[in-house]
Every structure is written in structure tokens, then in C-alpha cells.
Amino acid sequence: MLLERAELRVVSLPLLRPFRTSFGEIRDKTFILLRLSGEGLHGVAEGVMDAQPQYREETISGALALLRETILPGILGRRWENPEQLTRHLSAVRGNRMTLATVEMAYWDLWAQARNLPLSTVLGGVRSEVPVGVSLGIHASVDATVESAVRHAEQGYRRIKLKIQAGWDVEVVRAVKAALGTLPVTVDANAAYSLADLNVLRALDDLGLDYIEQPLAWDDLRDHAKLQALLRTPLCLDECITTAQDARKALETAACRLVNIKVGRVGGHLEARRIHDVAAAFSAPVWCGGMLESGIGRAHNIHLASLANFTKPGDTSSSSRYWARDLIHEPLETRGGLMPVPAGPGIGVTLDLPFLESVTRHTEQLGPVTVPVTPV
């Protein structure tokens, strides 16, 4: 289909309550929203890069420049037959996986709409609802964390994930485990530890966790392999995995035993599906992580999580946990620990345009593009 126009927005949504990790505290989620238009349809996606390069190396300002100056001018005014063709074109750009994912995901939405099919169907999904857990940020006290964990367990969530950092780890995890009984509990360090913290990591290993997520450096497979050999608890990698090759190397070297797939981190749905397939070949489960997305990014994640090897509960919990009002009309809410996959064409949700205008900080339009005609 012909890509005719693009709209870039920088959007800032206030969180219902602050969300704290080892990176710091978030009160407002600021992100890029991209809308691609062609043949009367609009595909939309959000970028998961932050203002500062803390999680990975990309930033909002850098992504905007790359999109505006290089990527979008290279694809607008051209006809793309399918997402594979567009992705081959985008592969000429080194790195910048989050920026590329924003474009690729918006095109998948557009392409699926053109076929009047849900995104999950064209991706090869097999579920109409996906199992869901919650991710709990760092709270003010152990008691507050336990109360939050118990409350979410009572709501039916199928896994509780605790954000941890040095000094906020063993004590709080032990207390939550004691309160929840057999409900799976995991921890996410966001690369806050090193092998020098082996005593703490071994103490966590004794607590019966389902897995420990990204304990060591964001770019270090080797030390994760060393650590996994010393622990009984499976390690799950997040920040380290941006391609299917990364996943293969991590699983081949036993740097982890399962993978968190974030479609926005790995370059889009095609690469996410490749990682899913690589993990399945190693009999390693995967689950869908989140980046505090609005309903647009959350819908993309839910569709991806409908694939067969997403056997662990993901982070696609109810939007109402985060936002007083979401960017979309359709509620994305769990029922008994399950999130329904939106059933409409594409990602199956629609933008609340008046509200979107009220939370938009910056807008720019690209196109329509006139394709030059070469004289014969």
C-alpha cells in the first residue's frame, strides 16, 4: 500500500501515581506517537525510548531527528507490499531498534487494517486472551509493597513482579513471598547489580522466585552466563536482547533460561516473532514486557502476546492501573488475570483525538510527498 503521510507527536500522560525503579521515579510518561496514513487508513504506534538514555541508548530527541530527517522521508510516497518489504528497507539503519520499531509497528497496524484482520491473526497468534501479571514499582515501605502485592493477587493477576535495587531486595521479596504463598513472584533489577553483589543474588536465589530479570549490565551476556551457572533460579534477559541473534547467543551460552520480549525494544513485530521462534527452538518460554505504554503500545503488546510460546504472564495489565484517562476509546482491562485481545482490524483500538490533543506537547506533519517523475 502507498504510504502518503506521517504525523509525529510528543505526548505526555500523567500517571495516577509515581512509578519508581532503579532508574528513578516517573510521574509523567512522555513518548513519541507516530501515525502513518495511506489509502484512507491510519496505522499508529508509540516509541518506547525515554527522554534520557537510561534503559537503552535511544532518546526521544534523537528518535525524532532520525524519523524526521532520514527514515520517514525514505518511506513516504512509496508503495510497500507487506511489512517484510518495509523491514528489509529499514534494515539499512544500524541500531536504533526502538525508532525502527515505531515505524514498523505503525505499518503493521495499517497493513492489517487494509486486510480487515486483527494484528494477532496476521502475526500468527493462537489466543483470544493472554495471561497477565503486574509489575510493582519500588514503594515507600515493605508493608506498602506487601499490601499492594496482596491487593493485585486478589484481583486475579497471575504473577507479581517486584522492581528491586541495591538495598531494596531480599527483605521486601521475602515479605511478599510469605504473603502470597504459591503465586509466582519475580524480580526485575533493570541492570542494577554486578557480580560483586553475588551474596545478595544468592540470597534471592533461596526465595523460590519464578525468575530473576536482568540483574546485571544491559549489554553483558558473559557475566549473566557466569551468574546463571551459580544460581538455581532461572535468569530472564530484557535489556540485553534486541535481536533474534542476541536471543540465540544468550540461550546457547546459558546466559538465561527465558526471555522478556518487548516489541518496541527489538525493532518491531517481525523481530519479536523471530525471537519468539528462537526461544521456542530452545524450549525456553517468553513473555511480553511493557514500557508503561498508553493503550496504543499496550494493544500492540497484547496482540504479540497471543503467539504460542508466550507462556508466562506478561506485563500487559489493565490500563486503569496507570492512567486516569487513556489515549484510546476502548478499555483494556483484565478479567481474572486474562487480558482480551482486541478483536477489531489492526490493533483494534481507536484514538481519542480530542484528549490526545490536550496531552500533546509537539506535533509535526510529513507529506504528502510528491514522487518525482524521471523523464523517459
Side-chain angles (χ1 to χ4, degrees):
M1 62 188 311
L2 178 66
L3 289 183
E4 299 164 347
R5 297 173 181 267
E7 178 185 79
L8 283 170
R9 291 176 181 260
V10 177
V11 178
S12 186
L13 270 181
L15 287 159
L16 280 172
R17 59 190 64 84
F19 189 82
R20 186 179 168 198
T21 72
S22 60
F23 297 135
E25 187 175 86
I26 303 171
R27 293 179 177 271
D28 301 274
K29 174 65 176 177
T30 301
F31 57 93
I32 294 172
L33 191 73
L34 170 66
R35 186 157 65 156
L36 290 178
S37 300
E39 301 179 12
L41 300 172
H42 309 283
V44 65
E46 64 185 85
V48 299
M49 65 291 294
D50 295 316
Q52 300 297 323
Q54 294 175 314
Y55 171 77
R56 288 284 310 189
E57 66 277 20
E58 291 178 76
T59 64
I60 290 173
S61 59
L64 281 173
L66 185 58
L67 289 166
R68 177 194 307 118
E69 298 167 15
T70 303
I71 295 177
L72 293 175
I75 66 172
L76 293 176
R78 297 178 62 179
R79 189 173 297 278
W80 304 94
E81 297 303 323
N82 51 52
E84 288 85 353
Q85 184 190 35
L86 179 65
T87 301
R88 284 194 297 272
H89 171 82
L90 296 175
S91 67
V93 177
R94 300 288 187 185
N96 296 283
R97 306 297 292 171
M98 295 176 178
T99 308
L100 294 175
T102 311
V103 177
E104 194 251 29
M105 292 163 68
Y107 184 77
W108 268 104
D109 181 26
L110 188 66
W111 190 74
Q113 287 181 53
R115 280 140 191 83
N116 200 33
L117 292 170
L119 177 58
S120 58
T121 299
V122 295
L123 287 175
V126 297
R127 300 184 184 92
S128 60
E129 52 189 9
V130 299
V132 175
V134 291
S135 178
L136 302 183
I138 295 170
H139 287 56
S141 68
V142 172
D143 288 345
T145 308
V146 171
E147 186 278 328
S148 181
V150 169
R151 176 163 40 85
H152 283 93
E154 291 172 346
Q155 292 170 7
Y157 286 105
R158 301 190 174 194
R159 177 267 283 148
I160 303 295
K161 181 170 82 171
L162 303 174
K163 294 288 188 176
I164 60 172
Q165 63 182 14
W168 182 263
D169 37 47
V170 178
E171 180 186 2
V172 68
V173 175
R174 183 180 289 118
V176 169
K177 280 288 295 179
L180 295 184
T182 59
L183 186 70
V185 175
T186 71
V187 295
D188 182 8
N190 288 119
Y193 297 87
S194 73
L195 290 178
D197 301 301
L198 188 55
N199 287 343
V200 172
L201 295 167
R202 278 180 162 151
L204 291 171
D205 191 36
D206 291 334
L207 297 180
L209 295 167
D210 201 40
Y211 52 83
I212 299 171
E213 185 179 352
Q214 195 69 41
L216 308 180
W218 64 277
D219 60 349
D220 194 338
L221 291 181
R222 186 170 182 175
D223 276 0
H224 277 103
K226 289 180 181 178
L227 178 61
Q228 182 66 92
L230 298 171
L231 303 181
R232 299 181 303 277
T233 307
L235 296 185
C236 173
L237 289 182
D238 176 351
E239 287 95 319
C240 280
I241 308 297
T242 61
T243 66
Q245 290 233 34
D246 292 338
R248 175 186 61 78
K249 292 172 184 176
L251 292 165
E252 245 178 20
T253 59
C256 66
R257 295 179 193 158
L258 66 160
V259 176
N260 167 356
I261 300 180
K262 294 176 179 172
V263 61
R265 184 191 73 235
V266 304
H269 286 293
L270 273 177
E271 196 66 20
R273 194 168 62 183
R274 292 185 188 112
I275 294 170
H276 165 277
D277 294 348
V278 166
F282 280 88
S283 299
V286 299
W287 57 277
C288 186
M291 293 287 287
L292 287 179
E293 289 98 336
S294 78
I296 295 299
R298 195 171 301 271
H300 275 280
N301 291 343
I302 295 165
H303 282 277
L304 176 69
S306 68
L307 272 66
N309 196 39
F310 282 89
T311 55
K312 294 283 187 180
D315 281 343
T316 53
S317 54
S318 296
S319 291
S320 59
R321 292 187 63 237
Y322 301 103
W323 322 113
R325 183 173 177 180
D326 205 344
L327 291 183
I328 59 175
H329 291 109
E330 299 79 5
L332 296 179
E333 300 294 312
T334 60
R335 299 192 297 255
L338 295 170
M339 173 66 79
V341 178
I347 59 173
V349 298
T350 53
L351 284 167
D352 181 344
L353 291 173
F355 179 62
L356 175 61
E357 288 291 342
S358 73
V359 293
T360 295
R361 291 184 176 181
H362 170 79
T363 306
E364 52 190 280
Q365 306 283 340
L366 288 85
V369 175
T370 301
V371 181
V373 177
T374 303
V376 177

